[in-house]
């Protein structure tokens, strides 16, 4: 575990691009997909029921297109989720924590420990099944854009939280 | 030291506070129900039946008494004290809340006086923290002596304010804006914005009226009236010109009224470690702003303002949560600063010479391209939809006017986007008609973000977003390598700085 906590010397201007990032836990993809289907299935059932009971003659003519649209829309989201998953990466250095993600729009955020107000660990029901947690850090000001890393192994998340907490107190 | 007041036991606000709260309640109630009241008053003469009139009188009396009792209970239950460097407040009639704020969390203490408070001679004292806006405390009515004593006790421990209100006359103000200057300031306001604001208010009222008339079944009459008049407008250019003239006058007058109300008798004092700003006509406000708590400042100007030789200066403090409209009111501005005064303010906060002397860097060409593409896509879409709806080919004639204006505005926007960076500070310029220049000390950054879309990747540019405790500062579309350099430099500065950021 120790190798996650290494960090190049801050005084030598560490380059965020050259830092080696850690991918998030692979089983989190399952969580994402379960969540996806939890939304998809009720919607699909709803659509079928609509088609069976409420659609009028004029609409049922087009129902094949409606299904096609529905499938392609969610198909694209499905592909997006799968392909953007490996882009989610994080790194904890000696003095800051960074997270990057994004398939079409690459985004990288770094929060220095010296500015963190508090750290939070969340366990959502499905994540808990896979022993995963998400870690959020909050800074002062508008905190909505601070950093949240979803899908880290729970023990590791607790370690990171512990590490950051000691760093904040310094 | 003022020992006249004992804050160690619970005390209430001045009894005059009952009146202040009562009037505030009635005002709020009237604001919500003015249409109903209007209707009752309008038809009141028609009511001949005595019993009906009695019902109405009884209803009014009931509300007045109900509010009086409520006010008294609010007053009675509102108690505060100071204990162990905490400000403790108990309040609530049915739902009791107990708030404790440690002194070191207090960001500023403001004195405020609305018209009622001015008449009866009490001050509203609000205690603000950087934390959640709901924990903010406002004590509606305190005598000047008690308010000052409270401020003194809190500031003694936080070193928040060293001055007393009484000392004001002795120090010479840095900025003083009289009526004549206010008039100048209002001339250079963003009239378009004020006009929109004015219409927002008017439309708000109209909408309420319409809802009312809907329920009374008179919509058709109004619709007919509007339709008749819109036809008349499109027929007559003369009318259009008159309306434009009227709009201009409305815009100017609304700008003036707004500036006059908010900034009446503005005086700003420069102190050892704080600014003190007093202003307002109906609502007098006195703000003490600790220099250390200022996250960044923005200097705004426009061609007209430059001509008169004034700029606005906006101080941004730490706020929590989304910066919504309500919090925008918390922005502290000094309007109508002269150049020398700006220099003094800047120099008192930080050392701006380094950053001002460094090279001016502009976003890459991609920024201009992106603006053009998005704007014209939007225009094409808007025109297509309008054409589909109205199917008049004539609407395309307007492009002769619209396209050059849009191009001009985009080029202006591109030209005004720049940044300068020195070892300690970043200066970001932006604007459309107005020019805003923001000064930010790098170590005050809370977190940093870099964004790159796949289109940006092809052009090798990226957006940088510096998150401060008072909001985001964006530097769009700069060279990717440059962005990485700033990213790393910012992190280095934040992580090695020992200075407290607030």
């Amino acid at each position: 575990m120790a190798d996650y906590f290494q960090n190049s010397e801050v005084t030598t201007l560490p380059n965020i691009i050259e830092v080696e990032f850690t991918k998030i836990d692979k089983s989190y993809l399952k969580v994402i997909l379960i969540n996806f289907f939890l939304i998809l299935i009720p919607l699909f059932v709803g659509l079928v029921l609509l088609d069976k009971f409420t659609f009028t003659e004029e609409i049922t003519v087009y129902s094949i297109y409606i299904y096609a649209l529905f499938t392609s829309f969610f198909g694209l989201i499905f592909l997006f989720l799968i392909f953007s998953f490996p882009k989610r990466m994080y790194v904890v250095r000696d003095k800051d924590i960074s997270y990057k993600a994004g398939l079409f729009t690459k985004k990288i955020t770094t929060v220095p420990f010296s500015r963190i107000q508090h750290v939070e660990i969340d366990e959502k029901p499905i994540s808990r099944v896979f022993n995963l947690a998400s870690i959020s850090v909050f800074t002062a000001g508008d905190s909505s854009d601070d950093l949240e890393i979803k899908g880290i192994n729970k023990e590791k998340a607790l370690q990171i939280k512990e590490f950051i907490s000691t760093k904040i107190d310094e | 030291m003022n020992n006249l007041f004992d804050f160690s036991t619970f005390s209430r606000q001045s009894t005059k506070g009952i009146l202040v709260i009562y009037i505030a309640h009635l005002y709020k109630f009237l604001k919500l129900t003015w249409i109903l009241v209007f209707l009752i008053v309008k038809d009141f003469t028609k009511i001949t039946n005595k019993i009906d009139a009695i019902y109405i009188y009884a209803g009014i009396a009931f509300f007045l008494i109900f509010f009086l009792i409520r006010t008294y209970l609010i007053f009675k239950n509102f108690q505060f004290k100071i204990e162990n460097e905490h400000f403790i407040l108990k309040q609530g009639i049915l739902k009791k809340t107990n708030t404790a704020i440690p002194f070191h969390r207090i960001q500023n203490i403001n004195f405020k006086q609305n018209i009622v408070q001015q008449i009866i001679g009490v001050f509203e004292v609000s205690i603000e923290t950087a934390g959640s806006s709901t924990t903010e405390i406002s004590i509606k009515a305190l005598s000047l002596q008690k308010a000052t004593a409270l401020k003194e006790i809190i500031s003694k421990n936080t070193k928040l304010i060293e001055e007393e209100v009484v000392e004001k006359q002795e120090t010479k103000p840095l900025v003083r804006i009289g009526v004549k200057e206010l008039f100048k300031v209002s001339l250079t306001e963003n009239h378009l914005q004020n006009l929109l604001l004015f219409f927002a208010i008017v439309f708000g009222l109209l909408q309420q009226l319409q809802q009312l008339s809907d329920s009374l079944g008179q919509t058709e009459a109004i619709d007919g009236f509007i339709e008749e008049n819109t036809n008349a407008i499109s027929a007559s250019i003369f009318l259009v010109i008159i309306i434009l003239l009227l709009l201009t006058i409305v815009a100017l007058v609304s700008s003036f009224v707004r500036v006059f109300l908010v900034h009446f008798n503005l005086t700003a004092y420069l102190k050892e470690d704080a600014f003190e700003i007093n202003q307002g006509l109906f609502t007098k406000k006195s703000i003490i702003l600790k220099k250390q708590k200022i996250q960044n400042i923005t200097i705004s100007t426009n061609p007209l303002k430059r001509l008169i030789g004034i700029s606005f200066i906006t101080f941004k403090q730490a706020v929590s949560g989304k910066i919504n409209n309500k919090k925008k009111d918390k922005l502290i501005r000094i309007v109508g600063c002269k150049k020398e005064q700006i220099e003094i303010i800047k120099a008192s906060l930080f050392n701006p010479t380094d950053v001002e002397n460094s090279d001016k860097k502009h976003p890459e060409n991609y920024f201009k391209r992106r603006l053009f593409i998005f704007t014209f896509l939007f225009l094409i879409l808007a025109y297509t939809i309008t054409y589909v709806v109205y199917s008049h080919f004539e609407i395309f004639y307007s492009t002769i006017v619209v396209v050059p204006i849009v191009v001009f505005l985009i080029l202006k926007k591109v030209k005004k986007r720049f940044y300068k960076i020195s070892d300690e500070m970043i200066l970001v310029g932006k604007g459309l008609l107005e020019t805003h220049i923001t000064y930010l000390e790098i170590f005050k950054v809370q977190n940093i973000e870099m964004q790159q879309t796949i289109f940006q990747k092809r052009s090798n540019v990226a957006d940088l977003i510096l998150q401060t405790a008072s909001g985001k500062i964006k530097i769009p579309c700069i060279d990717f390598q440059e962005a990485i350099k700033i990213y790393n430099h910012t992190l280095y500065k934040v992580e090695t700085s020992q200075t407290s950021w607030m």
Side-chain angles (χ1 to χ4, degrees), chain A residues 10-11 13-17 93 95-96 104-112 114-115 117 139-142 144-146, chain B residues 319-322 443 445-454 457 467 469 472 484 487-489 491-492 494-495 497 501:
Chain A
V10 168
T11 42
L13 272 182
N15 195 332
I16 194 71
I17 301 303
R93 299 193 292 178
K95 287 190 162 44
D96 52 36
F104 298 119
T105 303
K106 287 201 169 62
K107 229 179 175 185
I108 171 166
T109 312
T110 304
V111 185
S114 53
R115 296 290 177 268
Q117 301 284 321
T139 65
D142 175 7
S144 60
D145 275 341
D146 286 338
Chain B
V319 286
S320 68
K322 277 261 175 251
F443 79 89
V445 167
Q446 297 287 318
N447 74 55
I448 183 163
E449 188 182 313
M450 185 161 63
Q451 258 185 35
Q452 193 184 37
T453 62
I454 41 172
K457 194 175 176 135
Q467 186 92 47
K472 284 177 201 170
I484 294 171
Y487 198 101
N488 288 329
H489 179 71
L491 285 178
Y492 168 68
V494 174
E495 286 163 15
S497 107
W501 56 272

Side-chain angles (χ1 to χ4, degrees), chain B residues 301-329:
Chain B
T301 171
N302 62 25
L304 215 60
K305 280 180 197 150
R306 247 189 312 252
L307 201 72
I308 306 178
I310 53 167
S311 328
F312 288 12
I313 183 159
T314 311
F315 301 96
K316 292 210 183 105
Q317 285 180 287
V319 286
S320 68
K322 277 261 175 251
I323 294 131
N324 52 24
N325 281 333
K326 203 184 146 210
K327 285 198 179 121
K328 264 193 185 142
D329 293 343

Side-chain angles (χ1 to χ4, degrees), chain A residues 144-161:
Chain A
S144 60
D145 275 341
D146 286 338
L147 185 139
E148 183 179 14
I149 309 171
K150 292 172 181 167
I152 310 182
N153 180 285
K154 197 183 152 195
E155 282 74 46
K156 206 191 274 177
L158 284 170
Q159 272 176 7
I160 293 173
K161 188 188 166 198

Side-chain angles (χ1 to χ4, degrees), chain B residues 372-403:
Chain B
F372 267 113
I373 291 171
F374 278 129
T375 321
F376 276 90
L377 277 179
F378 174 76
L379 267 185
I380 290 167
L381 195 75
Y383 268 110
T384 324
I385 289 173
T386 339
Y387 184 70
V388 167
V389 174
Y390 291 105
S391 58
H392 279 301
F393 188 72
E394 284 80 5
I395 55 160
F396 289 104
Y397 292 150
S398 65
T399 48
I400 299 168
V401 185
V402 171
V403 171

Side-chain angles (χ1 to χ4, degrees), chain B residues 448-496:
Chain B
I448 183 163
E449 188 182 313
M450 185 161 63
Q451 258 185 35
Q452 193 184 37
T453 62
I454 41 172
F455 304 110
Q456 281 178 317
K457 194 175 176 135
R458 259 202 325 234
S459 304
N460 202 32
V461 295
D463 294 345
L464 263 188
I465 297 143
L466 305 169
Q467 186 92 47
T468 73
S470 61
K472 284 177 201 170
I473 293 171
K474 201 170 172 185
I475 314 178
C477 303
I478 53 175
D479 180 74
F480 186 54
Q481 295 308 319
E482 182 74 22
I484 294 171
K485 234 168 81 187
I486 298 176
Y487 198 101
N488 288 329
H489 179 71
T490 306
L491 285 178
Y492 168 68
K493 276 287 160 196
V494 174
E495 286 163 15
T496 54

